[in-house]
Amino acid sequence: MQKDVCEVVVDVSLLQNEHTMSQSFVEEKLVYTLLIQEHRMSLMYLCTKRMLDIVGALFGLLVLILLLPCIVFAMLLQDRGPLFYKQVRVGKHLHPFPLYKLRTMVVDADAHLARNPELLEEWRRTGKLQHDPRVTTLGKFLRRTSIDELPQMLNVLRGDISLVGPRPIQFSEISVFGELIELRQMVKPGLTGFWQISGRSTTDYEQRAILDCTYVLECSFWADVLILLETVPVVLHGHGAY
């Protein structure tokens, strides 16, 4: 079954690149792909994945509680701004949900971006700023160690996201994934995935889309476990984080 799905996706990409068929035919093939993939996700896999999410989220929240006093103290010394940051992201089947993180930027980060056209253009083009002047000194440390993402364990417990899956994107990023967005959003977003263990911020949108959709097509309990294990050294070394 998995081989059939991959073949369909390849067919769709070839049709899009070569423009040999109508848009309606491409869309029909994509819908067929989605139906096959949804059927392939067994109830056993979904249950074991949810159990893994709950155990992992509880452990992550315990770590956050232990680190929180030091983080609060450092934040007070920095600028006395809010500790947490909330942003609406795209969830499974394009449903919105609030994502929680520790604040890593200056308080007026959005306004600062709007005041700098060059930074705004880079953000619109890549979804990231390689040298983001809005990130604080504490924020750089939190990002490099991925501690800033520990509050997302609350999202995992709520069922908004999973430990493993395509990284949750903003609604402004939907267009860059083109026809693949529906396939990408067939599963819950995740804290980590193929993208995070394959370069994170050093990859472009095209590579990210391929990695995300590869996960959707090949997802399994043991694939999730393997990704989690490979995430540990990536986080410890801070590869691709900025």
PDB file of all heavy atoms in Angstrom, residues 37 64 77 84 163 199 204 213 231 233:
ATOM      1  N   GLN A  37      -3.743   7.184   2.064  1.00  0.00           N
ATOM      2  CA  GLN A  37      -2.927   7.381   3.254  1.00  0.00           C
ATOM      3  C   GLN A  37      -3.766   7.360   4.521  1.00  0.00           C
ATOM      4  O   GLN A  37      -3.373   6.794   5.530  1.00  0.00           O
ATOM      5  CB  GLN A  37      -2.159   8.690   3.140  1.00  0.00           C
ATOM      6  CG  GLN A  37      -1.400   9.078   4.409  1.00  0.00           C
ATOM      7  CD  GLN A  37      -0.363   8.059   4.807  1.00  0.00           C
ATOM      8  OE1 GLN A  37      -0.086   7.148   4.054  1.00  0.00           O
ATOM      9  NE2 GLN A  37       0.179   8.203   5.996  1.00  0.00           N
ATOM     10  N   LEU A  64      10.421  21.252  32.367  1.00  0.00           N
ATOM     11  CA  LEU A  64      10.109  22.678  32.327  1.00  0.00           C
ATOM     12  C   LEU A  64       9.912  23.237  33.732  1.00  0.00           C
ATOM     13  O   LEU A  64      10.414  24.325  34.056  1.00  0.00           O
ATOM     14  CB  LEU A  64       8.845  22.911  31.490  1.00  0.00           C
ATOM     15  CG  LEU A  64       8.339  24.355  31.424  1.00  0.00           C
ATOM     16  CD1 LEU A  64       9.383  25.273  30.794  1.00  0.00           C
ATOM     17  CD2 LEU A  64       7.026  24.422  30.650  1.00  0.00           C
ATOM     18  N   LEU A  77      15.860  39.704  34.730  1.00  0.00           N
ATOM     19  CA  LEU A  77      17.088  40.476  34.567  1.00  0.00           C
ATOM     20  C   LEU A  77      17.190  41.061  33.158  1.00  0.00           C
ATOM     21  O   LEU A  77      17.784  42.121  32.957  1.00  0.00           O
ATOM     22  CB  LEU A  77      18.306  39.588  34.833  1.00  0.00           C
ATOM     23  CG  LEU A  77      18.531  39.137  36.271  1.00  0.00           C
ATOM     24  CD1 LEU A  77      19.751  38.221  36.339  1.00  0.00           C
ATOM     25  CD2 LEU A  77      18.710  40.330  37.205  1.00  0.00           C
ATOM     26  N   PHE A  84       5.906  33.850  28.466  1.00  0.00           N
ATOM     27  CA  PHE A  84       5.447  32.963  27.399  1.00  0.00           C
ATOM     28  C   PHE A  84       5.004  33.756  26.162  1.00  0.00           C
ATOM     29  O   PHE A  84       4.684  34.942  26.239  1.00  0.00           O
ATOM     30  CB  PHE A  84       4.287  32.090  27.883  1.00  0.00           C
ATOM     31  CG  PHE A  84       4.663  31.170  29.008  1.00  0.00           C
ATOM     32  CD1 PHE A  84       4.324  31.484  30.317  1.00  0.00           C
ATOM     33  CD2 PHE A  84       5.359  29.990  28.763  1.00  0.00           C
ATOM     34  CE1 PHE A  84       4.663  30.640  31.365  1.00  0.00           C
ATOM     35  CE2 PHE A  84       5.708  29.147  29.790  1.00  0.00           C
ATOM     36  CZ  PHE A  84       5.369  29.472  31.097  1.00  0.00           C
ATOM     37  N   LEU A 163       4.357  14.484  19.453  1.00  0.00           N
ATOM     38  CA  LEU A 163       5.798  14.594  19.626  1.00  0.00           C
ATOM     39  C   LEU A 163       6.501  14.577  18.277  1.00  0.00           C
ATOM     40  O   LEU A 163       7.489  15.273  18.060  1.00  0.00           O
ATOM     41  CB  LEU A 163       6.330  13.447  20.499  1.00  0.00           C
ATOM     42  CG  LEU A 163       5.952  13.470  21.977  1.00  0.00           C
ATOM     43  CD1 LEU A 163       6.536  12.238  22.680  1.00  0.00           C
ATOM     44  CD2 LEU A 163       6.427  14.739  22.665  1.00  0.00           C
ATOM     45  N   GLY A 199      18.586  18.969   9.379  1.00  0.00           N
ATOM     46  CA  GLY A 199      19.134  20.301   9.140  1.00  0.00           C
ATOM     47  C   GLY A 199      18.352  21.445   9.733  1.00  0.00           C
ATOM     48  O   GLY A 199      18.847  22.553   9.844  1.00  0.00           O
ATOM     49  N   ASP A 204      15.662  24.583   2.934  1.00  0.00           N
ATOM     50  CA  ASP A 204      14.716  25.535   2.366  1.00  0.00           C
ATOM     51  C   ASP A 204      13.314  24.932   2.362  1.00  0.00           C
ATOM     52  O   ASP A 204      13.105  23.786   2.765  1.00  0.00           O
ATOM     53  CB  ASP A 204      15.148  25.948   0.956  1.00  0.00           C
ATOM     54  CG  ASP A 204      15.287  24.764   0.007  1.00  0.00           C
ATOM     55  OD1 ASP A 204      14.611  23.731   0.222  1.00  0.00           O
ATOM     56  OD2 ASP A 204      16.092  24.857  -0.947  1.00  0.00           O
ATOM     57  N   CYS A 213       6.253  15.551   3.827  1.00  0.00           N
ATOM     58  CA  CYS A 213       5.359  14.626   3.129  1.00  0.00           C
ATOM     59  C   CYS A 213       5.903  13.204   3.162  1.00  0.00           C
ATOM     60  O   CYS A 213       5.126  12.242   3.175  1.00  0.00           O
ATOM     61  CB  CYS A 213       5.136  15.086   1.693  1.00  0.00           C
ATOM     62  SG  CYS A 213       4.156  16.604   1.575  1.00  0.00           S
ATOM     63  N   THR A 231      16.610  12.876  17.449  1.00  0.00           N
ATOM     64  CA  THR A 231      16.442  14.279  17.803  1.00  0.00           C
ATOM     65  C   THR A 231      17.343  14.672  18.968  1.00  0.00           C
ATOM     66  O   THR A 231      17.811  15.815  19.037  1.00  0.00           O
ATOM     67  CB  THR A 231      14.969  14.559  18.175  1.00  0.00           C
ATOM     68  OG1 THR A 231      14.138  14.286  17.035  1.00  0.00           O
ATOM     69  CG2 THR A 231      14.766  16.016  18.592  1.00  0.00           C
ATOM     70  N   PRO A 233      20.586  13.950  19.933  1.00  0.00           N
ATOM     71  CA  PRO A 233      21.895  14.554  19.624  1.00  0.00           C
ATOM     72  C   PRO A 233      21.782  15.848  18.827  1.00  0.00           C
ATOM     73  O   PRO A 233      22.626  16.736  18.965  1.00  0.00           O
ATOM     74  CB  PRO A 233      22.604  13.461  18.811  1.00  0.00           C
ATOM     75  CG  PRO A 233      21.526  12.582  18.290  1.00  0.00           C
ATOM     76  CD  PRO A 233      20.452  12.606  19.337  1.00  0.00           C
TER      77      PRO A 233
END
